Amino acid sequence: MTKSIRVLIWIGIALLGAIALGTIALRRGEQINAMWLVVAAFCTYALGYRFYSKFISAKVLALDARRATPAERLDDGRDFVPTNKWVVFGHHFAAIAGPGPLVGPVLAAQFGYLPGTLWILVGAVFGGCVQDFVILLFSVRRDGKSLTEMARDEIGRVGGFVAYAAVISIIVILLAVASLIVVNALKASPWGVFTIAMTIPIALLMGFYLRHLRPGKVLEVSFLGFVLVMLAIWGGQWVSRNPMIASWFTLTAPALAIIIILYGFAASALPVWLLLAPRDYLSTFVKLGTIALLALGIVALHPTLQMPPLTRFVDGSGPIFAGKIFPFAFITIACGAISGFHSLISSGTTPKLIRRELETRMVGYGAMMCESMVAILATIAACVLSPGTYFAINSPAGVVGQSPDAAASTITGWGFPVSAAGMHSLAQAVGEQTLFNRTGGAPAFAVGMAHIFSSSLGGQAVMAIWYHFAIMFEALFILTVLDAGTRVGRFMVQDALSHLWKPLGRTGWYPSILATSALIVAAWGTFLWQGVKDPLGGINSLWPLFGISNQLLAAVALCVATTIIVKMGKARYSFVTLIPLAWLVAVTFTASWEKMFDSNPRIGFLAHARKLASSPSSHETSRLIFNDRLDAVVTGVLVCMVALVLLESGFLWARVISGRLQARTKESPFVLTQFAVEEQG
């Protein structure tokens, strides 16, 4: 292909992307086809990867094909293992794609499809993909060091301490929010509870099968797991139609919360081969297959978006969460645009697997683009529902009313017609008792996904199967995050406690395993219980808290990246990390201030506490007041710590650029790779 033809192709992609974005942004008064979002995303990602990531690779990072990676130099067959780039890509994508790219866009759809779509595209190409790429490369050049270690080495002790505290905080809040999403999706749903419950013995069986019955037979166990999961979905339908058995699996939110807390403790304490590894594997192929199926369904059916580009709730009065587009749309959609959690993966297992330095571009930048595409698909799944149905599912009873008639009347009064009878028919169609007040985003995504699939694959007759397949799909990989996150949190707690008493840091000593597992589970379990007991559905307070902590962690990661770029003598290129850093600081600091001090009780933690304090006192009221004040303190402490990192980093940048400090990065010495010689030979 000649150069002129390639130029014409890229010009064509740019023009097509511009047309799609223009249609999304400017079309008013009429519904648009979901394919415009898909086309805009494809063109934006293609241009970003081809040009922006290549610019960063060549000018900022100077990727070197001759340089040996830690996977090659430190190969131990356990942690450091040179791995095929496609396997690493799959591992990295599976690790970063938690509940965020599905749930955040669904919740943010209360503003309309436009704000979320634009933020997902722009935030990923210029923020999230850049963060994941540069942190991965810098970790590779430092023997696979973690973000906290790089912060300590490159910024200073304060940076290292704050990064550690931020990581622990985000793990606790992430696990609480993920658990709450599962609780809200499964409460009063015997079908869903049975199906998810069955995945636990399925995972245990897969682990035992691979370790003792048929070691190494991955294809066999994959087929076995798929068949058993499909049987679990079918069995859930049978359970839901049998009143006596259904009553055993019809659980309240508090009961589910207790079960999930106990499950989290078991997942952290049990051997990794028994539950964690097989559940991760089971969820990975279900996750990738379902996402591919959803993408094909949208392309084949090109459904119409029922949600308008902007709703009346851009004024901050949204029922799902209160607050205006700025800053709350940008912390509600974290994963899918930019997520601090990803920096833990980019400086965790992934840099220890990278075979060649050039592969960091595809793995770091490319995997984040794929997650961003998942967020676009989630936006479409939410917005193909009628707005009335969307708000009936996602709005908490404390806002719209306890009874179906009251909720339908309230939502219709907003200008989004919906009826109690219509919602009852929809609930029956998907095999649920009710779809009102199913906060958390997961049920709305499942209904949208079932709507898309049932339009072509089986019609309304199998809508219940598709709905519960979607619920199982979401819950499976949310519980995977719960498994892995609790174990990572336990390791970090053990590392911290080892400074007090060495045996507590031994990851193989069971008294330490049990004690530290209990500590980390108690931490996120406290926030989960707070969300379960919240009359506004929990998501109203916990998701913004998660978004703030997640984006503050991204700010820390970008501080580390900017510091390294400046110390490399490439301050003129530091804008690639400084621009997203500046945006995140503006967003998160504004959101934090509003969540702490806004006078609206639906926004400000302290305002809500004051409102509760003025009402008749009760045990529940006292607990909610404590929770609000705790949330405010957590937010304030996180902001202060990140402000310290920003100040320390800023002073360091100024000293290096002015020449007052000789810049020295902590890169590992250059070693010539042997892989290049082997490939040439």
Side-chain angles (χ1 to χ4, degrees):
M1 186 183 297
T2 64
K3 182 178 179 180
S4 58
I5 294 177
R6 289 198 300 269
V7 170
L8 288 174
I9 289 174
W10 284 111
I11 290 175
I13 291 174
L15 289 174
L16 182 60
I19 292 170
L21 285 170
T23 301
I24 294 169
L26 303 176
R27 188 73 63 88
R28 294 290 185 273
E30 58 181 292
Q31 296 172 338
I32 69 168
N33 194 287
M35 278 302 297
W36 285 115
L37 274 66
V38 174
V39 171
F42 173 80
C43 294
T44 302
Y45 300 147
L47 291 166
Y49 187 82
R50 170 60 180 82
F51 296 103
Y52 197 50
S53 73
K54 187 175 182 180
F55 164 77
I56 295 172
S57 300
K59 298 295 185 180
V60 185
L61 303 178
L63 299 187
D64 191 346
R66 303 169 303 151
R67 188 179 188 128
T69 66
E72 178 185 353
R73 291 186 294 101
L74 307 175
D75 184 3
D76 59 8
R78 186 182 65 255
D79 296 320
F80 293 86
V81 182
T83 306
N84 178 276
K85 63 182 178 181
W86 294 109
V87 175
V88 180
F89 182 92
H91 158 79
H92 189 74
F93 172 75
I96 65 176
L102 293 176
V103 174
V106 172
L107 299 178
Q110 76 164 4
F111 293 127
Y113 65 76
L114 180 59
T117 298
L118 295 181
W119 168 232
I120 290 167
L121 298 181
V122 176
V125 169
F126 296 106
C129 296
V130 173
Q131 175 205 245
D132 293 14
F133 180 20
V134 296
I135 292 296
L136 176 60
L137 187 277
F138 291 150
S139 180
V140 165
R141 287 185 176 171
R142 286 160 179 78
D143 291 342
K145 284 187 176 180
S146 68
L147 178 68
T148 55
E149 292 174 308
M150 289 193 291
R152 184 190 62 227
D153 292 345
E154 302 293 348
I155 299 177
R157 290 186 177 181
V158 174
F161 171 77
V162 171
Y164 179 88
V167 169
I168 282 287
S169 299
I170 191 176
I171 286 175
V172 168
I173 296 169
L174 168 69
L175 297 178
V177 173
S179 302
L180 182 61
I181 293 166
V182 175
V183 168
N184 286 339
L186 297 181
K187 64 183 179 183
S189 175
W191 189 338
V193 169
F194 175 84
T195 299
I196 296 304
M198 288 302 101
T199 64
I200 296 174
I202 291 172
L204 293 172
L205 174 62
M206 291 172 66
F208 185 80
Y209 190 97
L210 273 179
R211 189 172 180 87
H212 296 292
L213 296 181
R214 301 277 287 173
K217 301 298 183 181
V218 176
L219 187 61
E220 287 182 16
V221 83
S222 299
F223 178 76
L224 176 66
F226 176 78
V227 171
L228 291 176
V229 165
M230 294 302 103
L231 288 174
I233 297 173
W234 177 83
Q237 184 180 34
W238 177 81
V239 165
S240 68
R241 293 175 177 176
N242 189 314
M244 185 180 73
I245 300 178
S247 64
W248 303 344
F249 294 94
T250 304
L251 303 178
T252 63
L256 280 167
I258 293 171
I259 291 171
I260 288 177
I261 288 171
L262 293 175
Y263 168 79
F265 177 80
S268 176
L270 287 174
V272 68
W273 64 266
L274 184 59
L275 181 60
L276 181 65
R279 176 180 275 285
D280 281 357
Y281 182 71
L282 180 66
S283 68
T284 296
F285 70 76
V286 171
K287 179 193 307 185
L288 294 174
T290 305
I291 289 169
L293 193 61
L294 178 58
L296 289 173
I298 291 172
V299 171
L301 298 172
H302 41 272
T304 299
L305 300 182
Q306 304 294 322
M307 188 72 72
L310 296 169
T311 71
R312 56 175 289 179
F313 300 119
V314 295
D315 64 358
S317 62
I320 299 169
F321 60 90
K324 296 182 179 180
I325 289 178
F326 182 87
F328 289 102
F330 306 101
I331 61 169
T332 300
I333 300 177
C335 305
I338 180 169
S339 168
F341 177 72
H342 294 188
S343 64
L344 308 184
I345 308 301
S346 293
S347 60
T349 54
T350 303
K352 300 175 179 65
L353 304 176
I354 292 287
R355 188 171 183 270
R356 302 292 301 277
E357 192 170 281
L358 295 181
E359 294 168 5
T360 57
R361 177 189 176 199
M362 183 191 79
V363 174
Y365 201 96
M368 176 57 202
M369 282 199 319
C370 291
E371 189 191 86
S372 186
M373 190 67 215
V374 173
I376 290 292
L377 299 180
T379 300
I380 292 172
C383 294
V384 295
L385 299 174
S386 72
T389 300
Y390 167 85
F391 285 110
I393 296 172
N394 287 289
S395 300
V399 173
V400 296
Q402 295 288 339
S403 70
D405 288 330
S409 176
T410 300
I411 295 167
T412 301
W414 294 337
F416 305 118
V418 67
S419 68
M423 288 299 298
H424 179 68
S425 297
L426 180 61
Q428 286 188 318
V430 299
E432 290 292 308
Q433 297 177 10
T434 181
L435 286 173
F436 278 106
N437 317 133
R438 302 296 290 272
T439 59
F445 174 83
V447 173
M449 186 171 162
H451 172 77
I452 292 170
F453 284 158
S454 63
S455 299
S456 61
L457 302 174
Q460 294 295 313
V462 296
M463 193 169 181
I465 294 289
W466 283 118
Y467 173 83
H468 285 92
F469 179 83
I471 288 291
M472 179 274 299
F473 154 72
E474 293 178 285
L476 250 188
F477 78 78
I478 290 173
L479 288 176
T480 299
V481 171
L482 192 67
D483 294 345
T486 302
R487 191 172 288 262
V488 169
R490 189 249 291 176
F491 289 152
M492 294 188 68
V493 172
Q494 284 184 292
D495 181 56
L497 293 179
S498 67
H499 297 290
L500 301 177
W501 189 38
K502 287 291 183 183
L504 289 175
R506 284 160 41 195
T507 57
W509 189 46
Y510 248 92
S512 174
I513 290 173
L514 296 176
T516 51
S517 293
L519 284 174
I520 193 70
V521 169
W524 63 255
T526 299
F527 283 96
L528 170 61
W529 195 253
Q530 166 192 339
V532 166
K533 290 295 186 178
D534 189 339
L536 294 179
I539 287 295
N540 195 297
S541 59
L542 276 185
W543 192 268
L545 187 61
F546 161 69
I548 288 169
S549 61
N550 194 13
Q551 303 300 61
L552 286 173
L553 180 56
V556 172
L558 290 169
C559 274
V560 172
T562 304
T563 300
I564 295 173
I565 291 172
V566 169
K567 293 171 76 173
M568 288 168 63
K570 297 188 175 183
R572 64 188 181 279
Y573 295 126
S574 61
F575 67 87
V576 300
T577 51
L578 272 177
I579 291 175
L581 173 60
W583 174 254
L584 285 182
V585 169
V587 166
T588 51
F589 279 46
T590 303
S592 300
W593 180 268
E594 292 191 20
K595 289 304 295 181
M596 287 188 291
F597 301 117
D598 195 282
S599 59
N600 183 346
R602 292 197 57 229
I603 299 177
F605 291 133
L606 297 179
H608 189 244
R610 287 193 297 270
K611 179 183 177 182
L612 292 173
S614 65
S615 61
S617 180
S618 67
H619 176 71
E620 182 178 353
T621 301
S622 299
R623 184 181 62 251
L624 292 176
I625 291 173
F626 173 80
N627 291 340
D628 280 331
R629 291 172 177 169
L630 175 64
D631 289 349
V633 169
V634 169
T635 303
V637 169
L638 285 172
V639 169
C640 289
M641 288 194 299
V642 174
L644 285 174
V645 174
L646 285 167
L647 289 173
E648 187 177 17
S649 301
F651 284 129
L652 180 61
W653 303 339
R655 292 167 64 198
V656 171
I657 293 172
S658 65
R660 289 177 290 160
L661 178 67
Q662 184 177 0
R664 291 181 180 176
T665 62
K666 300 296 179 69
E667 284 187 2
S668 302
F670 176 91
V671 175
L672 184 66
T673 179
Q674 295 301 306
F675 290 139
V677 176
E678 294 172 7
E679 290 167 1
Q680 290 173 359

